[in-house]
Amino acid sequence: MNQVARVAKLRGTQPAQELGTRGIERVARNPDWLRLKALTIAGVSPAKAAQDILHRDDAEAQSPFALVLDQKFDRHVLQNGAANLFSQYVEKGHLEASESKIVSISDFAPGTSFAQCRRRETETRRLLALKLARDPAAPNLIIQPRLLIDYGGVPHPIEPDYLVARDDEPFYRVGVLKSYADRGGKTDPADLRAACRQAAVGVAALRQFLAAGGADRMIAAARCDLILKVTGFFLPTLQRMAILGEVDSIERALADAPASLEEIEALVPAWGTLSDPAVLVSIPSRYHSNCREHCALWTHCREQALAASSPALLGELASEYLAPTGSIVRAIELMKNAPGIRPRTEAEAIVQAELARAYRTLSEAANG
């Protein structure tokens, strides 16, 4: 059975979804979460899993206000043939005024049908090939290209906001549009990290395209262009950023996918699928304090962590430090030297000694 068929069997009755750059980059945030990997490989979003498989209605969706703001900003930047976007590049000196070849992929085949999506993929590949061939007709800006990225042996379509390159550059750079307010050094670091991770998915997809054609994959550099919004106005700003770490984490997640698929299949009974809630919750998860930022299953996983008294509930540092004990309850028992509780391993003994010493110090300070 080929990998596409294996993934379809694993998915069960759930229809395959296009997860986009956000869906792929989500895995790199929590690489130890096997349940998230399973859903991503199968092409099922956590929000869809929460709603349709686990029948939960507490999953948080993106704020309608934020969604409308994003859409309005994107339209403003890309209207009139992406004139506002192009002017930013000319003003910054990243494109010459004559480098005005702009192509919008969505104009070739707007819509979501199979044929329309395939046509956009074909047109994107054609334009990328022009750039590789150093054809002077290659666009300087490609708006909403449709790329394929292999994850777990299955091609997942993604549509970055845009690609950009000067005529004399060997290949394209990924660009991301975000309606975040550009506050210079005070811009929210979490917002910047999220945007850079999404750009990194685009870089990984470009590198896969290059490698498949026998070209040097590294000409798709680990850099991105980030378009933000002037505070209080719908005016774009442009930043150029290095994303070496983000691209590395995405590519590690992609490389781990085949082994993850085998591990997931080993956990799922021969008759089981991810569309069965009992099977889905049986696949291990690992709750992180930042899960709420990106995953609709965070409340379910937090409940499991609470039931298991997981150290992850105390944050990443505590989770790593208390990992040898396995749970908060056992850590407390070791700390208080509870009757009948003895360290099971050398690592537990070290944790017990340090916790007991800290507990004594705290008790002495509290009791004067």
Side-chain angles (χ1 to χ4, degrees), residues 19-260:
L19 303 181
T21 55
R22 290 182 180 179
I24 300 298
E25 67 91 11
R26 189 184 288 125
V27 178
R29 298 198 196 199
N30 195 344
D32 300 319
W33 186 8
L34 198 57
R35 187 181 302 162
L36 180 60
K37 285 185 178 181
L39 289 170
T40 305
I41 290 173
V44 180
S45 72
K48 195 70 171 173
Q51 179 180 347
D52 291 357
I53 302 176
L54 300 182
H55 306 293
R56 300 180 68 98
D57 57 6
D58 56 358
E60 292 188 358
Q62 184 178 4
S63 161
F65 175 78
L67 184 61
V68 169
L69 185 63
D70 283 344
Q71 294 172 344
K72 187 175 180 180
F73 181 65
D74 289 359
R75 285 196 301 270
H76 175 75
V77 174
L78 300 177
Q79 68 185 357
N80 300 322
N84 289 323
L85 179 62
F86 177 66
S87 66
Q88 276 292 306
Y89 278 89
V90 174
E91 288 174 13
K92 295 286 187 179
H94 300 318
L95 288 177
E96 298 296 330
S98 59
E99 294 177 312
S100 57
K101 299 183 291 294
I102 303 173
V103 175
S104 176
I105 296 298
S106 61
D107 291 344
F108 283 89
T112 58
S113 72
F114 178 84
Q116 291 164 327
C117 291
R118 296 298 84 77
R119 186 180 176 192
R120 296 203 299 275
E121 291 165 12
T122 300
E123 184 61 22
T124 299
R125 289 194 294 270
R126 185 184 73 82
L127 296 177
L128 295 181
L130 287 179
K131 186 63 176 174
L132 274 178
R134 299 282 185 160
D135 191 314
N140 302 108
L141 281 166
I142 303 177
I143 309 301
Q144 292 181 327
R146 186 173 172 87
L147 305 168
L148 295 176
I149 186 165
D150 184 286
Y151 183 66
V154 178
H156 293 265
I158 64 169
E159 295 188 358
D161 292 322
Y162 67 95
L163 303 176
V164 60
R166 298 173 63 100
D167 287 339
D168 59 358
E169 289 181 313
F171 205 56
Y172 291 102
R173 175 194 299 259
V174 177
V176 179
L177 300 176
K178 290 295 180 185
S179 61
Y180 308 144
D182 187 348
R183 298 187 173 90
K186 296 183 179 179
T187 304
D188 189 339
D191 289 342
L192 293 178
R193 285 195 301 270
C196 289
R197 279 192 293 261
Q198 290 178 39
V201 176
V203 173
L206 289 176
R207 288 182 174 181
Q208 288 187 357
F209 167 81
L210 291 166
D216 178 8
R217 62 191 300 273
M218 299 309 291
I219 63 174
R223 299 191 299 271
C224 76
D225 290 358
L226 182 57
I227 299 289
L228 300 181
K229 183 175 71 69
V230 173
T231 304
F233 299 92
F234 274 96
L235 299 175
T237 66
L238 171 60
Q239 300 181 35
R240 307 203 110 178
M241 306 184 70
I243 51 172
L244 289 167
E246 289 82 357
V247 171
D248 183 60
S249 67
I250 293 295
E251 293 193 320
R252 283 201 309 271
L254 296 175
D256 288 343
S260 297

Side-chain angles (χ1 to χ4, degrees), residues 1 40 49 74 97 121 126 139 159 173 262 267 327 336 340 342 348 365:
M1 186 185 301
T40 305
D74 289 359
E121 291 165 12
R126 185 184 73 82
E159 295 188 358
R173 175 194 299 259
E262 293 182 2
L267 293 171
S327 76
K336 295 184 175 181
R342 296 289 182 271
E348 260 199 353

Side-chain angles (χ1 to χ4, degrees), residues 261-285:
L261 178 57
E262 293 182 2
E263 186 177 359
I264 293 160
E265 288 176 322
L267 293 171
V268 175
W271 48 265
T273 71
L274 295 179
S275 57
D276 183 334
V279 171
L280 180 61
V281 300
S282 70
I283 297 176
S285 69

